[in-house]
Amino acid sequence: MTPPGAPLFARISGTGSYLPQRVVHNRELEATVDTSDEWIVSRTGIRSRHIAGEGESASDLALHAARRALDAAGLVPADIELIVVATTTPDMMFPSTACILQRKLGANGCAAFDVQAVCSGFVYALSTAELYVRAGKCRHALVVGTEVFSRLLDWADRGTCVLFGDGAGAVVLSASETPGILATRLQADGDQVDSLCVPAHVSGGRVFGHPFVQMDGGAVFKFAVRALGEAGEAVLQEAGLSPGDVDWLIPHQANVRIIEAAARRLGLPIERVIVTVDHHGNTSAASVPLALDEAVRDGRVRPGQHVLLEGVGGGFTWGAVLLRW
Ligand code: UT7
């Protein structure tokens, strides 16, 4: 029990993730679009991705990941006092995927809402939940990144369909007397809306616009490297730490060349970077919590280490969370 007046911190007390069963290797895509395993691997580092089944929704993936995170934290759904879900591919226009997840989990009663910041979504959601926990508004928050991004892809467009995958990652964020999250940073630049978007909307029962991912790959690439670097440097400065103090960098998993460039900018060797893009593809808001869970479960992330989470995505949005494990 935290003594009255003591500073409250927010710590991740459990992680979990889930990947749909179906694995699609680059070779399979060669059969449907004019691409090659060699091109995809050399330009992106991606070798395979998971694709959700027809009946599987973002909340289904989130449910598996959330249950695993709760188990890891030694908690049950009734302990959760806030649910924040980051997703670009919600089950419905409304209600939020957070509310749908809440019903599936059996955690009714607590606040639940979605965050939409595309591939930065998890970093946005975690930073938001941290404020609730640190303010003493809740003891345990469930923060999830979940995507069925495959549904937004034009599978005939080789420029985008080879890049993405589906999955979900979750953490439980708990009040603590010792830090946890040391610093957060969120930013956005709405001038860049057109560089990466799904330019469509629903009105009067019809879809208007182009309901598939549209992207200026080169512009996103350049921006992502700079944004990841700046966000990382900002949280390190706020916490009074330097890149040399970072044990693990966990950046958004979009392209291994972006990840390598972001690590170089911070002066970190690739051995200190968690890379999952090779077997997950770009899972948008799920990519950071998926990579975190993998590194926690295989023992790379250990107590006392400094972990730097970084996100960048459509909007543009970008940000970072620095934490002590
Ligand atoms: O979460 C953020 C989401 N978005 C991203 O992360 C995307 C960031 N951008 C990137 O990852 C890279 O810019 C790409 C992987 C999209 C492209 O890599 P690149 O090294 O920038 O490729 P490029 O622009 O130099 O090459 C493009 C060429 C084009 O052919 P031409 O016009 O040069 O003849 C494309 O038509 O590669 C062609 N191309 C492909 N070829 C084979 C594009 N997609 C493919 C493909 N297979 N799948």
Side-chain angles (χ1 to χ4, degrees):
M1 194 67 190
T2 309
L8 261 190
F9 298 100
R11 282 187 83 85
I12 293 178
S13 54
T15 66
S17 63
Y18 177 76
L19 291 158
Q21 254 181 4
R22 183 171 166 229
V23 178
V24 174
H25 293 275
N26 294 345
R27 292 259 177 248
E28 203 175 319
L29 297 174
E30 286 178 0
T32 51
V33 281
D34 181 16
T35 191
S36 66
D37 177 54
E38 192 280 328
W39 190 95
I40 302 170
V41 172
S42 64
R43 298 296 175 109
T44 71
I46 298 168
R47 293 178 185 278
S48 62
R49 71 287 291 144
H50 292 249
I51 301 293
E54 237 174 69
E56 258 181 328
S57 64
S59 69
D60 292 326
L61 273 50
L63 179 64
H64 291 294
R67 283 190 174 140
R68 288 172 185 175
L70 283 166
D71 280 351
L75 297 174
V76 294
D79 295 320
I80 294 299
E81 294 170 336
L82 172 69
I83 300 174
V84 188
V85 172
T87 187
T88 318
T89 49
D91 289 21
M92 302 183 191
M93 295 293 284
F94 75 84
S96 68
T97 303
C99 285
I100 298 168
L101 172 64
Q102 185 185 47
R103 178 170 71 177
K104 288 181 178 174
L105 263 180
N108 294 356
C110 69
F113 59 89
D114 285 2
V115 162
Q116 166 55 300
V118 205
C119 302
S120 311
F122 181 76
V123 166
Y124 263 70
L126 188 61
S127 304
T128 305
E130 190 235 1
L131 296 175
Y132 282 83
V133 172
R134 243 180 350 106
K137 293 277 188 192
C138 69
R139 278 164 302 165
H140 303 291
L142 176 65
V143 185
V144 186
T146 183
E147 298 283 15
V148 282
F149 217 83
S150 58
R151 310 264 159 84
L152 297 178
L153 300 174
D154 172 357
W155 286 94
D157 174 14
R158 69 176 183 172
T160 53
C161 76
V162 303
L163 303 177
F164 296 91
D166 300 334
V171 303
V172 177
L173 195 63
S174 298
S176 160
E177 289 165 47
T178 52
I181 291 182
L182 304 174
T184 65
R185 168 89 163 193
L186 299 179
Q187 283 189 261
D189 179 1
D191 274 348
Q192 305 291 332
V193 161
D194 299 329
S195 299
L196 178 56
C197 55
V198 176
H201 68 278
V202 173
S203 177
R206 289 173 55 203
V207 177
F208 290 84
H210 179 73
F212 298 108
V213 172
Q214 197 170 280
M215 157 181 104
D216 177 347
V220 177
F221 192 105
K222 281 191 212 110
F223 181 81
V225 172
R226 188 163 57 81
L228 291 175
E230 280 176 10
E233 284 157 9
V235 288
L236 282 167
Q237 195 180 15
E238 192 184 320
L241 295 174
S242 65
D245 296 314
V246 175
D247 295 287
W248 293 109
L249 171 64
I250 308 186
H252 172 48
Q253 307 283 318
N255 182 320
V256 79
R257 289 157 55 216
I258 296 177
I259 293 171
E260 284 165 356
R264 249 194 324 272
R265 194 183 149 135
L266 281 174
L268 289 177
I270 199 70
E271 292 73 31
R272 300 231 304 269
V273 185
I274 306 296
V275 179
T276 54
V277 70
D278 55 326
H279 54 291
H280 292 173
N282 179 348
T283 57
S284 188
S287 91
V288 169
L290 267 164
L292 174 65
D293 185 51
E294 187 173 297
V296 168
R297 283 174 192 267
D298 69 19
R300 277 178 290 176
V301 169
R302 293 193 306 276
Q305 291 186 331
H306 289 120
V307 181
L308 176 56
L309 312 177
E310 294 180 340
V312 61
F316 286 138
T317 55
W318 67 104
V321 174
L322 180 65
L323 48 93
R324 188 174 305 137
W325 198 253

